[in-house]
């Protein structure tokens, strides 16, 4: 029975992963294309304006913070036990809280639309156009609160992330096509954003129809179980501080620099954001699987699966960020070619971006378990300290060092949080030795040094994207070989475990017993 459950989890994970990879591929392509069109047809200032407004709206989404995570956690057990009455009670409570959060979001969006135009100046837009743009960019959030939130929580907890990926893929593709066509037509940016965001209605329709068909037992007249979402407030605090950490660079750049500097940040962040999107595939698909294991108190399975995942994830980020260290500046130079309103070619900035992202992702396996186990309250103090470091440090360093100071503050905060979680997870959840994780981190940096060393004194110049892809391909092959060799020497047990999982899955797919 235990083997059957494990096989089912692996199968669901890979099914979700396939569609999540497809979605992230579309997001990655869209993330590269859209900013380039913004720069080419509207300039760095408009690109920086959209980046800045989007980050403020992301902060307003925090009125929902904790609700989705608490709802997913509350649904693990009733879904595992097929307790339809309890599932309905949690979903109804989730819907109620999303409605309340939606009204709060609307109020904050309206306040931003009134205040923001007085803080920034844009040559191409007047104050009322900036306000209208804010309301348009907030439309997706409004729809999320009032229609989609409860469906996302249910599908996530039931390990049905693939339907979210499919609907989001279609939305992103349609949204991007509309943006490209209207940008080429050189229409007003407010009109462009208004029409393109209408594509979100397609995603809403798909999620609604799928949930209605596959969860007919949900009774929306059931008495809401508000107590089941009790962890919401602890989760909220964790998400708020997490969002402050990830979003503060744009806000600080808006307050202490100008919109063109914000645009520089957004271009470097295209690479980092694309990488983060790809890496999130693995944690999104596994978070609910680990939550299910923890809910069943299967400590042996948890330890074995987590060690294999930690090794695989660290190997993955070593390859990806090793390539990023080498290839980020050739990409930025190629991407911003012929853009002359501000200088985007700053190699030290590129290195700091990649280093910061690497340090952020080192704690991803541990952070995933915090969410899976519902340890929101227990980690509140540590997250607070991390938030204080990035905000206070950024405010002190930004006036004199601009983006360099903002990134340094973020790097310091990530180092603190990495060390904290490396010790917290073994002690409180997995009961494993902390030294295994620390050794894997050491191997990660050793591998990165070996990967980057041959390119230390060689500047890669790419005149076309095909040339860049070709260079990146060979650097990736080299990085994979380094990671496999060192992994085989120091982590052979975990590699064997992962290989056995792959063979079992292959037999299952081919129909062999």
């Amino acid at each position: 029975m235990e083997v059957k459950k494990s096989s089912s989890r692996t199968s669901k994970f890979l099914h979700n992963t396939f569609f999540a990879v497809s979605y992230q591929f579309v997001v990655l392509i869209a993330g590269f294309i859209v900013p380039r069109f913004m720069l080419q047809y509207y300039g760095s200032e408009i690109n920086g304006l959209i980046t800045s407004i989007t980050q403020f709206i992301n902060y307003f989404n925090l009125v929902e913070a904790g609700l989705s995570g608490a709802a997913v956690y509350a649904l693990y057990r009733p879904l595992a036990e097929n307790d339809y009455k309890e599932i309905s009670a949690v979903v109804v409570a989730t819907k109620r809280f999303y409605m309340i959060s939606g009204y709060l979001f609307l109020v904050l969006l309206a306040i931003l639309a009134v205040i923001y135009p007085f803080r920034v100046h844009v040559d191409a837009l007047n104050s009322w156009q900036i306000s209208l743009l804010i309301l348009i960019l907030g439309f997706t959030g409004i729809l999320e609160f009032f229609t989609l939130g409860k469906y996302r929580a249910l599908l996530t907890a039931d390990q049905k992330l693939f339907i979210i990926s499919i609907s989001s893929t279609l939305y992103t593709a349609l949204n991007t096509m509309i943006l490209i066509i209207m940008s080429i037509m050189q229409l007003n940016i407010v009109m462009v954003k208004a029409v393109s965001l209408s594509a979100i209605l397609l995603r809403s329709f798909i999620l609604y129809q799928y949930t209605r068909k596959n969860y007919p037992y949900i009774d929306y007249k059931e008495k809401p179980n508000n107590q089941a979402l009790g962890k919401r407030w602890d989760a909220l605090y964790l998400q708020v501080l997490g969002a402050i950490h990830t979003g503060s660079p744009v806000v600080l750049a808006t307050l202490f620099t100008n919109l063109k500097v914000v645009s520089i940040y957004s271009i470097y962040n295209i690479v980092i954001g694309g990488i983060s999107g790809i890496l999130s595939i693995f944690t999104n698909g596994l978070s609910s699987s680990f939550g299910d294991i923890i809910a069943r108190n299967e400590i042996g399975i948890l330890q074995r699966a987590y060690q294999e995942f930690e090794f695989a994830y660290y190997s993955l980020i070593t390859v990806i960020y090793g390539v990023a260290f080498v290839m980020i500046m050739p990409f930025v130079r190629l991407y911003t070619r012929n853009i002359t309103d501000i200088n985007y070619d700053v190699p030290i900035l590129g290195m700091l971006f990649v280093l910061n992202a690497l340090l952020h992702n080192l704690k991803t396996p541990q952070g995933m378990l915090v969410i899976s186990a519902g340890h929101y309250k227990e980690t509140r103090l540590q997250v607070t300290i991390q938030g204080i470091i990035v905000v206070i440090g950024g405010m002190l360093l930004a006036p004199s060092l601009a983006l360099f100071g903002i990134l340094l503050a973020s790097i310091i905060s990530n180092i603190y949080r990495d060390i904290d979680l490396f010790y917290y997870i073994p002690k409180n959840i997995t009961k494993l030795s902390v030294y295994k994780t620390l050794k894997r981190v050491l191997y990660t940096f050793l591998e990165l040094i070996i990967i980057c060393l041959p390119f230390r004194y060689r500047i890669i110049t790419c005149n076309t994207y095909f040339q860049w892809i070709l260079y990146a391909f060979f650097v990736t092959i080299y990085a994979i070989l380094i990671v496999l060799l060192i992994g085989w020497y120091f982590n052979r047990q975990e590699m064997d475990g992962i290989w056995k999982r792959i063979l079992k899955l292959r037999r299952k797919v081919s129909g062999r017993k």
Side-chain angles (χ1 to χ4, degrees), residues 64 66-76 79 87 90-91 94-95 98 144 147-161 164 207 211 215 218 229 288:
E64 174 267 348
L67 178 54
S68 178
V72 170
Y73 181 76
L75 284 166
Y76 283 145
L79 282 169
I87 293 172
V90 174
V91 170
T94 303
K95 177 182 177 181
Y98 263 110
E144 185 78 24
T147 63
L148 302 180
K150 58 183 180 293
Y151 302 137
R152 292 176 65 89
L154 178 62
L155 293 169
T156 300
D158 201 24
Q159 301 179 54
K160 299 289 181 61
L161 287 168
I164 298 175
L207 291 180
T211 307
Y215 300 91
I218 294 180
L229 302 179
S288 53

Side-chain angles (χ1 to χ4, degrees), residues 61-358:
N61 282 319
L62 291 173
V63 297
E64 174 267 348
L67 178 54
S68 178
V72 170
Y73 181 76
L75 284 166
Y76 283 145
R77 189 173 295 278
L79 282 169
E81 298 173 355
N82 294 319
D83 186 346
Y84 297 153
K85 182 179 177 65
E86 179 61 17
I87 293 172
S88 297
V90 174
V91 170
V92 171
T94 303
K95 177 182 177 181
R96 177 174 172 269
F97 279 113
Y98 263 110
M99 293 292 288
I100 296 171
S101 299
Y103 288 116
L104 289 173
F105 178 84
L106 275 173
V107 171
L108 292 171
L109 192 66
I111 293 173
L112 181 67
V114 172
I115 296 176
Y116 189 88
F118 293 100
R119 176 62 185 84
V120 300
H121 171 74
V122 182
D123 293 333
L125 300 175
N126 57 37
S127 296
W128 74 266
Q129 287 176 316
I130 295 175
S131 295
L132 186 57
L133 184 61
I134 291 169
L135 296 175
I136 291 168
L137 292 176
F139 176 74
T140 302
I142 294 170
L143 204 61
E144 185 78 24
F145 283 110
F146 289 106
T147 63
L148 302 180
K150 58 183 180 293
Y151 302 137
R152 292 176 65 89
L154 178 62
L155 293 169
T156 300
D158 201 24
Q159 301 179 54
K160 299 289 181 61
L161 287 168
F162 70 91
I163 191 62
I164 298 175
S165 298
I166 292 172
S167 61
S168 298
T169 299
L170 294 174
Y171 154 67
T172 303
L174 181 59
N175 178 277
T176 303
M177 285 190 290
I178 295 172
L179 276 169
I180 291 172
I181 293 170
M182 297 188 73
S183 296
I184 293 173
M185 295 170 66
Q186 297 188 29
L187 298 174
N188 183 279
I189 187 64
V190 178
M191 183 184 295
V192 172
K193 285 295 181 180
V195 176
S196 66
L197 284 174
S198 63
I200 192 67
L201 297 174
L202 175 62
R203 187 180 70 168
S204 303
F205 177 76
I206 294 172
L207 291 180
Y208 170 75
Q209 288 295 331
Y210 182 88
T211 307
R212 183 181 179 185
K213 179 180 179 181
N214 289 273
Y215 300 91
Y217 55 79
I218 294 180
D219 181 8
Y220 289 98
K221 295 181 180 179
E222 181 67 55
K223 182 180 179 181
N225 183 359
N226 296 323
Q227 291 182 341
L229 302 179
K231 285 184 176 286
R232 186 243 170 129
W233 306 109
D234 297 324
L236 182 149
Y237 193 81
L238 185 68
Q239 282 186 248
V240 167
L241 269 297
I244 287 173
H245 178 265
T246 56
S248 60
V250 171
V251 174
L252 290 169
T254 301
L255 295 175
F256 292 101
T257 60
N258 57 63
L259 291 178
K260 288 187 178 181
V261 174
V262 175
S263 181
I264 293 176
Y265 178 90
S266 73
I267 297 305
Y268 280 88
N269 204 47
I270 287 174
V271 179
I272 304 306
I275 292 172
S276 296
I278 293 171
L279 291 175
S280 70
I281 294 168
F282 302 94
T283 53
N284 287 343
L286 276 181
S287 182
S288 53
S289 297
F290 276 106
D292 180 59
I293 294 171
I294 293 170
R296 296 175 188 273
N297 198 31
E298 298 171 336
I299 187 66
I301 297 175
L302 173 65
Q303 290 178 335
R304 186 167 60 254
Y306 177 74
Q307 287 187 89
E308 291 173 4
F309 171 67
E310 187 181 76
F311 165 71
Y313 189 82
Y314 281 174
S315 298
L316 180 65
I317 65 173
T318 301
V319 171
I320 289 178
Y321 286 113
V323 176
F325 270 117
V326 176
M327 298 303 300
I328 188 170
M329 289 316 301
F331 171 80
V332 170
R333 294 184 187 110
L334 182 61
Y335 191 84
T336 59
R337 186 171 52 185
N338 301 324
I339 305 297
T340 58
D341 54 358
I342 194 168
N343 179 34
Y344 287 87
D345 188 357
V346 189
I348 298 178
L349 201 59
M351 185 194 72
L352 290 176
F353 261 95
V354 178
L355 177 61
N356 184 50
L358 171 66

Side-chain angles (χ1 to χ4, degrees), residues 11-26:
S11 179
K12 285 181 178 179
F13 166 66
L14 289 172
H15 189 61
N16 287 327
T17 299
F18 172 78
F19 287 102
V21 167
S22 301
Y23 169 56
Q24 288 301 334
F25 178 76
V26 172

Side-chain angles (χ1 to χ4, degrees), residues 321-323 325-326 447-457 478:
Y321 286 113
V323 176
F325 270 117
V326 176
E447 290 161 357
L448 283 169
I449 292 171
I450 295 173
I451 291 169
C452 296
L453 201 57
F455 306 96
R456 176 67 180 84
Y457 301 101
Y478 170 64

